[in-house]
Amino acid sequence: MTEIVPDTTVAAIATELPGAAELFRRHGISFCCGGDIPLSMAAEQAGLAPAALIADLKALQQASGRDAPQETLALISHILTRYHAAHREELGWLIPLAQKVERVHGNHPSAPIGLSGTLAQLRDELESHMIKEEQVLFPMMQHGGSRMIAHPIAEMRNEHEDEAQHLQTIEHVTRGLALPEGACRSWTALYTGLRKFTDDLVVHMHLENEVLFPRFQSVS
């Protein structure tokens, strides 16, 4: 995982570390368009002491993954049920809801124009990604690994980077999931669902990149 130091950029942390995105939103720190600035500068612009922001991020880092099973087979099962299944279910209703909000509120200055298209693209790429894990990578891991496992792991890591880019786009078009005053129930439900979905996806990628995949690096 990217080291958390003053020169690390906001964007490098937001889509890697569970809880970081919400921490940034809470302090008004953008991690999409303005995410290429270092943590120290972002903290100062938000009226925070850089050391305090970095300490909060390191606390999140220490807490990450604690709710997941430690044993490998149980961890894989957890990823399948807690994340793969949840992503499929949630994208199934988030996309049409985003389409509705764009259609009904398209003239509003805060309308998330382009959100449904981004979610649809993410759904398609994520579905392909999860199928490859379910049919190829995870079965290899469940049988103890293989000398051939390095390639699928590298491919999954690369695809996680693409998913992180989609998360940044979602953050951009929704203005940090900020609801406008007087937002309707559909708009409110959309952003509430998106907050859970995006946070879940970051945790999902973190568990694979930082916990599961390294266990099999030596096997390859």
Side-chain angles (χ1 to χ4, degrees), residues 44-124:
E44 291 169 357
Q45 291 178 354
L48 302 171
L53 178 62
I54 290 173
D56 285 344
L57 291 169
K58 288 186 175 180
L60 290 175
Q61 188 177 46
Q62 291 178 349
S64 63
R66 287 183 180 172
D67 294 335
Q70 293 302 306
E71 196 271 326
T72 297
L73 295 182
L75 178 58
I76 291 173
S77 179
H78 175 74
I79 290 171
L80 290 170
T81 56
R82 174 63 181 81
Y83 298 106
H84 284 210
H87 295 336
R88 288 180 171 117
E89 178 183 353
E90 291 168 7
L91 284 169
W93 61 265
L94 283 170
I95 293 171
L97 188 56
Q99 292 169 337
K100 176 182 178 180
V101 170
E102 290 182 61
R103 182 177 65 253
V104 174
H105 301 287
N107 292 327
H108 194 288
S110 296
I113 303 301
L115 175 61
S116 60
T118 297
L119 289 174
Q121 185 177 358
L122 175 56
R123 174 200 58 201
D124 294 344

Side-chain angles (χ1 to χ4, degrees), residues 179-200:
L179 284 166
E181 186 176 354
C184 70
R185 292 179 181 177
S186 293
W187 204 335
T188 302
L190 174 62
Y191 280 18
T192 299
L194 278 175
R195 191 179 299 275
K196 177 185 181 299
F197 169 76
T198 55
D199 288 349
D200 277 358

Side-chain angles (χ1 to χ4, degrees), residues 24 32 45 60 88 129 135 146 168 171 192 218:
F24 291 145
C32 51
Q45 291 178 354
L60 290 175
R88 288 180 171 117
H129 176 89
Q135 296 184 356
S146 160
Q168 289 186 322
E171 189 74 10
T192 299
S218 60

Side-chain angles (χ1 to χ4, degrees), residues 205-217:
M205 294 189 295
H206 175 84
L207 285 175
E208 292 183 351
N209 284 343
E210 306 299 331
V211 181
L212 180 61
F213 293 171
R215 296 178 182 181
F216 294 88
Q217 299 299 134

